[in-house]
Amino acid sequence: MADKAASRAKFEDVFAAIREELLQHFAGEGMPAEAVEWYRKNLDYNVPGGKLNRGISVVDTVEILKGSALTEDEYFKAAVLGWCIELLQAFFLVSDDIMDSSITRRSQPCWYRLPEIGMIAVNDSFMLEAAIYQLLKTHFRSEKFYVDLLELFHETTYQTEMGQLVDLITAPEDHVDLNKFSLDRHRTIVIYKTAYYSFYLPVACALYMLNVPESYTTSGVTQKPYEISKSILLPLGEYFQIQDDFLDYSAPPEQLGKIGTDIIDNKCSWVINTALLLCSKPSTPGGAEMRKVLDENYGRKDAQCEARVKKVYERLNITKVYGEYEERVVGELKAKIGGIVETEGGLKREVFESFLGKIYKRSK
């Protein structure tokens, strides 16, 4: 734990440096002191407060791929890329909270809920996104992979916004229609809204920073490291979200650290989609009756309705279905990881094993 705390503290030190760099540039544009202070508060309130897993995983991945300790300059550059991902996350969360009319985020009021902020938060979210490209320009413009990084961040942002749109139109909180739900729709939402930016983006940043080519041949086998990474990390991201959905239903609040609200919030979660699929099977006793219970009770702001939905989940033995899913998907991921042909200056299995190790059988 001490190592984890130390690596987080070292990563946070880089945020302090890049925040000052962004504020100096902003002030250098002739912005008034009041605006500089506003931007500082925006950055401090919204960027560094989370778990920082995405950002720190860039540094970890660069170190694994390099195979030795990073120089100070390498660490700083990897950490800048990590903080660019955290800025992207902050941009998504500030705007997402407005769209969802959320109340709290990371145990504090959402940014837009602060009385002096309100809808200025929309512009503040744009500024968090713009900061990414200011940092990339400052630190990577002379690198041959600069355009690759620009395209990567733009594409990933677009993919996440596609997923957000599908989520918003599939499961609006005020209009429940379970006919719109399906496991295919859930997969689309999860891969686009979460897996690209949370799992593929950190590894792709590390590959570009180390000048890993799009393809190379080793022992007569052509390897495409970016495609291989995507083929592992997107299903891994889907598994992570399905695990999250399952824990929202199954984990007690003291273990989860929050109260699960997917049922009352009409979330298009893996659990409801799996239940709907099971109810539709002729082999499921009482399937039609249970489907009716789900239609009448899912997405209602009512504890009794929520309890009825959970009763259906228990009858369908969702816990057993999840356990079987987890073992199957982890087996498939381990096989894909095992198929990587390692080479100097290329992919390493450890990158993916470390991601999987953090997720498998987690309880919160």
Side-chain angles (χ1 to χ4, degrees), residues 11 14 18 55 58-59 74-84 209:
F11 186 66
V14 175
I18 62 176
V58 178
V59 178
E74 285 169 338
Y75 180 88
F76 187 80
K77 280 198 154 72
V80 168
L81 290 174
W83 281 110
C84 284
M209 185 181 144

Side-chain angles (χ1 to χ4, degrees), residues 170 178-187 189-190 245 267-280 291 294 298 313 316 318:
T170 301
L178 297 184
N179 292 319
K180 286 186 167 185
F181 285 21
S182 70
L183 282 169
D184 277 348
R185 180 66 67 100
H186 176 264
R187 181 175 296 112
I189 293 168
V190 165
D245 291 352
K267 285 281 160 58
C268 182
S269 105
W270 177 85
V271 186
I272 183 65
N273 281 298
T274 300
L276 292 169
L277 179 66
L278 292 171
C279 286
S280 72
R291 168 66 196 243
L294 294 175
Y298 196 77
Y313 290 171
L316 291 167
I318 292 288

Side-chain angles (χ1 to χ4, degrees), residues 27-41:
E29 293 289 308
M31 295 296 119
E34 181 188 6
V36 175
E37 201 41 51
W38 186 287
Y39 191 24
R40 176 190 296 279
K41 193 177 171 191

Side-chain angles (χ1 to χ4, degrees), residues 198-239:
S198 299
F199 290 86
Y200 176 65
L201 179 58
V203 172
C205 281
L207 291 170
Y208 282 128
M209 185 181 144
L210 291 173
N211 288 300
V212 175
E214 292 288 336
S215 71
Y216 52 83
T217 303
T218 179
S219 309
V221 179
T222 299
Q223 298 263 56
K224 295 186 173 178
Y226 297 86
E227 283 183 24
I228 292 168
S229 298
K230 211 174 276 186
S231 76
I232 295 168
L233 294 164
L234 295 185
L236 190 71
E238 185 186 6
Y239 163 44

